Structures are given as C-alpha cells and as structure tokens.
Amino acid sequence: MSLDRTRSPSARAESPLTAAILAGRWIRSAAVDDEHGRRWRANPDPRGRPAATPEEPWSLYSGGAGIVLFFLELAAATGHEAYLDDARAGARRLAATWRDQGDLSLYHGLTGVMIALMEAGWALGEARFEAEARAIADLIVSRGRTADGEAGWSPDPAQRGDGGIVLGLLRAAAHLGVPAYEEFAVEAGLRIARLPVPGHRFGDCADLPVDAVTPGFLAGTAGTAFLLARLYGVSGDDRFLRAARSGADFVREVSIVSGDCAVVPHHVPHARGLHYLGFCSGSAGVARMFHELHQVAGDPRDLEWVERLARGITSNGVPYRQTEGYWNVACQCCGAAGLIELFVGLWAATGRVAHLDFARTLAGNLIGRATDHDGHGYRWYQAYRRLRPEEVSADTGYMVGAAGIGAALLHLDAAGQAARARRVILLPDNPFPAIPLPATALTQPGEGR
C-alpha cells in the first residue's frame, strides 16, 4: 500500500481495502473508553463540529452502533482479531447504556442499536449481546401501540420513523428466531398500507416548505413503498403489494425521464429541478425500492426503472462533476459511498460488469479525496448540509462519515472474489445480496445445469 503523502490525491494507488484500514485507524484515534465500554467522538478535530447535531454517541447514523458494524466487517475482511476487540468494546457500551435512550427509530435510535448488537453477538459468539438485542426488540413491541390502539409508534410511516422500526423487527424475527416480532411488524405495516400514497408528505422536514411532498427514501414515498414491498414478500398479503404499487406509481409520476435515464425531484411541487443522486433523498435510494418490488413481484418494468435511475446517475458526470444534487459530500447518506453501495449491489444482483466498473470509478475518486495530514488515518472532509456549504467537517460515523465510507469500500473489496466470497453486513433497507457476487460466480462448473 502507498502512504506517500507527497503525491497528489489523483495519483494514489491504495486499494479499497487499504483505504478502509486507514479509515479504521482514524476512527480508532477517536475512541473514548469508560467503565461501560467504548464510544467514538463524532468529530475528533480539535476545532471540529460534527455533521449530525445533536450528537448521538449510540446511533447507527453517526454513533457507536454504526462503528461497531464497520469494525466487524473490517475484521472479516482482514482476518485481524484486534478489530473484533474494537467492536466488542463498542458493543459492550451499547449493551450497558441502551436503556438510557428513548428514540426507537432505526437510524437514530434503539432499532439501530438492536441491529448492531445482533451482528456483534453473531460475529463474536457472545450470547449476551444477542440477549440485549432481544430485550430491545421486546421493548419496541411493548411500546408499539398508538393512541387509537393500532400497532405503531408514531405518525411518521417513513424509514426515519415507523418504517425503519418495522424493518428492524423483521430482521430481529429472522435473526433471533422470534415469530412474534414478524407478526407485530406485519400488523404495524398494515396501518401504513392503509394510508393514501403512503409516506410521501412530510412538511416537518427541516428546510422544506410545510406543504412539501418528498418522493425519496429516508423521509419519503420510496422508502415507505420499499417497506411495503418487503412486507408483501414476507406475508404474501396483496394489500401490501397494492400499497407499494401506489407509492411506486407516484414516484414514477413525479420523476423526470429523459430517454433511458430518470432522476427524482428532492421535493414537489417546489423543487422539481433539484435532483439528489444519493441514498437519502435521491436516485440511489429510490432504485432500492424498485429493486425490492421486482424481487417480490417479478415485474420487469420495475427492473427497468432500477436501470433507468442508475443511468440517470452515471449520465450526470459523477464523480468528477459536482451538481446541486451531488455536491461536496462523500458519505453513505447523500454522497459517493451511498452510490458505491448501489452499484456494487446492482452488479451482485445482475452480473453486469458496467455496474462494478462504475463502483470502482467512484471508489478511486473517493480514495483520492481522503485526507491524512497528521498520520492518524483517513478521513473525508465534506459539506454535509448542501444549504450550508461553508460547514465542512470530517466525521467518524456510519451514515455521515468514515465508518460508512469504509464499509462501502469493504463491500467493493468483497465484490469479485468468488474464490474467497464473504458475507457483508447490509442494513435492513438494503435489498441487494449479502454476499456481493452474482449467483453465476458462485456456481461451480457442471452445477446448476
């Protein structure tokens, strides 16, 4: 690997794995240990300001839960057990402190902590972490009744609200072997399925007009339609498929189609010309919804839309051209790392080499943008908030910083290694194969004929 800091970023030759290792080195430099275990400072720069405020030292989005997942993956990729020690220390703190948290959501609350503890228990072989994950799942179910007695936790059906919790319960049911979690998730999903064009109007989003309609993933229609498609695949209940189709039809209706490409407005009717490309509110997230629909219902038109959105990204000139919807941002949430996840996943699902080649192009640019000015490892400075480009920070977390960027690079590293195929950790809202290889690559000569 090259650590020659005298060369320009464009001349670096580090592999995705090497870059992920260097990201892990920097995250380690932000560790803070106490009697409960380990947490990591969100932004260890002496005068730095974290991208996600207020800070959430436990969360999947920007805190310990996401960093635990990254270290578990780094251990699997390198074979170095020291990274398991990092993950164990972080999981120990999550297990000891989760009862202090009130937020139940996937990315910012206890559902994400539950996911991290399940994965840590499985990878480390420590039943205590899975026991704590089960306790969280039990708490989530116990709190899952609205004022009118229906299954649910909040008025928000999107991935940032009830949708993410339902996805987490589905994962817990499969991982922990508790059918009651799935039963409750399906019941909560039926309430969401009854909403008209579920999940697309969220006037309380920061910086949006009160009548904004958001078709994107984390806070909009596409994410909710993804959830409903997943529930259809689990239950076979046509009510979920009809509701998912309603959401998908809305996304199609508001999207901008040019030839064989499509992009999705950030919100309507005010910003039809603002097209995010990333995961949270743009094409990378919306493509997940159409892919999930195709998996559970088999309609080739959904797969056509997946490819149409992918071409909408590649035709925008990224990663070398910055646009209003793809600005100075590197992270999983709205930047280059989220695009790598999409194109690695598309290659694993379809076997189309062009998808993997584009993921490698994105990764090369992303690695070239890394900074290691003090020898502590790689971090990525970015303007997380598009509307405040002067606020530049480098963060350790999963959705906003080095842990998630490192995870995306590890997923790319795993792609194409049929002889050494390994499982990668995908979040519950990722529809792509957990072993990032096309099925044909795993078929030995003479098999499957």
Side-chain angles (χ1 to χ4, degrees):
M1 80 181 169
S2 170
L3 296 179
D4 183 357
R5 298 183 192 89
T6 65
R7 291 185 300 146
S8 67
S10 62
R12 285 182 182 151
E14 286 92 345
S15 69
L17 177 59
T18 299
I21 291 170
L22 289 169
R25 179 188 297 177
W26 183 64
I27 295 169
R28 277 178 154 179
S29 75
V32 177
D33 292 335
D34 60 23
E35 69 276 15
H36 298 303
R38 180 169 300 165
R39 64 179 177 87
W40 294 268
R41 288 172 288 160
N43 183 313
D45 283 357
R47 292 180 296 277
R49 175 183 177 184
T53 54
E55 290 190 50
E56 300 167 342
W58 63 88
S59 78
L60 187 59
Y61 197 85
S62 59
I67 293 174
V68 165
L69 296 181
F70 167 66
F71 277 121
L72 291 174
E73 293 214 68
L74 195 55
T78 63
H80 295 325
E81 293 197 4
Y83 296 127
L84 293 180
D85 294 335
D86 293 300
R88 182 180 291 107
R92 188 163 65 86
R93 193 173 203 282
L94 293 175
T97 61
W98 69 261
R99 290 171 177 82
D100 299 331
Q101 313 306 328
D103 189 325
L104 300 179
S105 67
L106 173 61
Y107 279 104
H108 300 282
L110 287 178
T111 300
V113 174
M114 177 186 71
I115 298 296
L117 289 173
M118 287 192 301
E119 292 290 346
W122 185 84
L124 298 168
E126 299 194 21
R128 58 175 174 156
F129 294 139
E130 291 186 322
E132 293 296 328
R134 184 187 295 258
I136 294 174
D138 290 340
L139 175 71
I140 290 170
V141 171
S142 72
R143 293 185 181 178
R145 290 292 172 186
T146 62
D148 56 9
E150 290 192 295
W153 300 267
S154 76
D156 188 347
Q159 297 280 21
R160 66 174 188 174
D162 283 14
I165 299 173
V166 170
L167 286 172
L169 285 179
L170 292 175
R171 174 71 66 86
H175 186 106
L176 300 172
V178 183
Y181 298 154
E182 180 181 305
E183 293 167 6
F184 196 84
V186 169
E187 185 182 354
L190 285 172
R191 180 177 70 94
I192 297 173
R194 289 193 292 270
L195 298 173
V197 190
H200 73 267
R201 187 177 181 121
F202 298 106
D204 62 336
C205 284
D207 302 317
L208 292 187
V210 294
D211 60 341
V213 177
T214 53
F217 200 79
L218 279 189
T221 314
T224 306
F226 173 97
L227 166 71
L228 295 165
R230 175 69 55 84
L231 286 167
Y232 172 69
V234 166
S235 69
D237 190 326
D238 285 339
R239 288 175 290 182
F240 289 123
L241 182 58
R242 288 194 297 270
R245 285 273 172 238
S246 176
D249 289 346
F250 171 78
V251 173
R252 284 191 179 97
E253 180 181 348
V254 301
S255 294
I256 310 300
V257 178
S258 176
D260 60 356
C261 302
V263 290
V264 183
H266 182 268
H267 60 281
V268 293
H270 320 81
R272 288 188 176 274
L274 175 57
H275 308 129
Y276 277 30
L277 300 184
F279 160 72
C280 62
S281 300
S283 300
V286 175
R288 291 187 181 194
M289 178 267 289
F290 282 109
H291 183 76
E292 183 73 10
L293 260 176
H294 177 260
Q295 286 194 119
V296 299
D299 189 333
R301 292 174 296 178
D302 294 318
L303 194 57
E304 289 171 7
W305 263 83
V306 174
E307 296 292 347
R308 186 172 285 175
L309 288 161
R311 286 190 294 267
I313 294 171
T314 58
S315 66
N316 260 271
V318 300
Y320 306 110
R321 175 175 174 257
Q322 292 189 2
T323 67
E324 195 176 8
Y326 184 81
W327 62 103
N328 178 26
V329 64
C331 64
Q332 284 259 4
C333 185
C334 41
L339 298 188
I340 291 173
E341 294 281 22
L342 171 67
F343 283 93
V344 169
L346 288 178
W347 175 75
T350 67
R352 295 183 181 176
V353 176
H355 291 317
L356 188 59
D357 288 344
F358 189 67
R360 288 170 173 155
T361 297
L362 290 164
N365 180 264
L366 189 58
I367 293 169
R369 293 167 58 188
T371 298
D372 182 15
H373 58 270
D374 54 10
H376 290 166
Y378 274 5
R379 81 250 23 203
W380 284 263
Y381 287 92
Q382 61 178 358
Y384 171 70
R385 291 176 177 81
R386 179 183 63 86
L387 296 178
R388 285 177 272 181
E390 73 282 356
E391 294 182 7
V392 175
S393 64
D395 290 76
T396 58
Y398 197 95
M399 295 304 294
V400 295
I405 294 170
L409 293 173
L410 290 176
H411 298 167
L412 176 59
D413 173 72
Q417 300 190 43
R420 296 186 295 121
R422 68 176 188 261
R423 172 182 176 268
V424 300
I425 297 174
L426 301 182
L427 300 183
D429 57 12
N430 191 317
F432 298 115
I435 298 178
L437 289 172
T440 53
L442 297 174
T443 302
Q444 298 299 319
E447 292 182 354
R449 293 182 180 176

